Amino acid sequence: LPIVIYDDKTHTLALVHCSWKNTSEMFVCKVLKHLRDKYSVVISDTQVVIGPSIRQESYGFVDLSQKNDPNWQPFLELQDGKYHIDVVGYNIAQMVDSGVLVGNIQDCGIDTYADASYFSHRRSQEKGDPEGRIATIVMMTQ
């Protein structure tokens, strides 16, 4: 899950990768705290863009270690005997809890598993599709 965080007042930019493990460790919160403490970023001023990633509908597991973690409970849904994990939703909740305004978060909504235009490690493992990588690249210009 790529997350781009930008503050136009301090011209500070961060690109964050949030796997389910990083999400469990509240990595995006740690990045926001670092931006605030080191670069004087006002968290409510930040703009956030969430890039393409696997989405809850496509991310199901029969046995899931997070099922017993109370922090994950609101972001798990049991469907057809599988726990579907909402990594995007949990990261959004963490950012909002850290002070990012909901209106400042843009989610592209692309599910890399469901959309064959994107590479998906999980889809390649399950369906034998070609495996590849995608990149999120950001830059600032003057």
Side-chain angles (χ1 to χ4, degrees), residues 59-65 67 78 80-84 122:
Y59 208 25
F61 299 88
V62 173
D63 190 28
L64 185 68
S65 61
K67 71 182 177 189
L78 189 57
D80 301 322
K82 288 185 177 181
Y83 291 92
H84 288 259
R122 185 173 178 89

Side-chain angles (χ1 to χ4, degrees), residues 1-3 17-24 28 50 53-57 59 61 64 66 72 75-76 84-95 107:
L1 170 66
I3 300 175
H17 173 256
C18 288
S19 64
W20 71 263
K21 285 185 180 185
N22 287 353
T23 300
S24 290
V28 74
I50 298 172
S53 68
I54 195 165
R55 301 300 168 129
Q56 185 173 19
E57 306 81 45
Y59 208 25
F61 299 88
L64 185 68
Q66 293 94 328
W72 274 103
F75 308 99
L76 301 178
H84 288 259
I85 183 170
D86 186 3
V87 176
V88 175
Y90 194 9
N91 277 283
I92 289 173
Q94 289 179 25
M95 289 186 284
D107 180 4

Side-chain angles (χ1 to χ4, degrees), residues 28-86:
V28 74
C29 297
K30 294 173 183 176
V31 170
L32 288 165
K33 181 181 181 314
H34 178 75
L35 294 175
R36 185 193 68 216
D37 295 348
K38 175 120 176 148
Y39 300 102
S40 302
V41 167
V42 176
I43 303 304
S44 60
D45 291 340
T46 59
Q47 298 293 318
V48 174
V49 177
I50 298 172
S53 68
I54 195 165
R55 301 300 168 129
Q56 185 173 19
E57 306 81 45
S58 302
Y59 208 25
F61 299 88
V62 173
D63 190 28
L64 185 68
S65 61
Q66 293 94 328
K67 71 182 177 189
N68 297 319
D69 183 339
N71 295 322
W72 274 103
Q73 293 305 308
F75 308 99
L76 301 178
E77 187 174 308
L78 189 57
Q79 298 174 10
D80 301 322
K82 288 185 177 181
Y83 291 92
H84 288 259
I85 183 170
D86 186 3

Side-chain angles (χ1 to χ4, degrees), residues 2-21:
I3 300 175
V4 179
I5 303 168
Y6 179 65
D7 176 30
D8 66 352
K9 292 188 174 117
T10 61
H11 302 286
T12 304
L13 177 71
L15 175 58
V16 184
H17 173 256
C18 288
S19 64
W20 71 263
K21 285 185 180 185

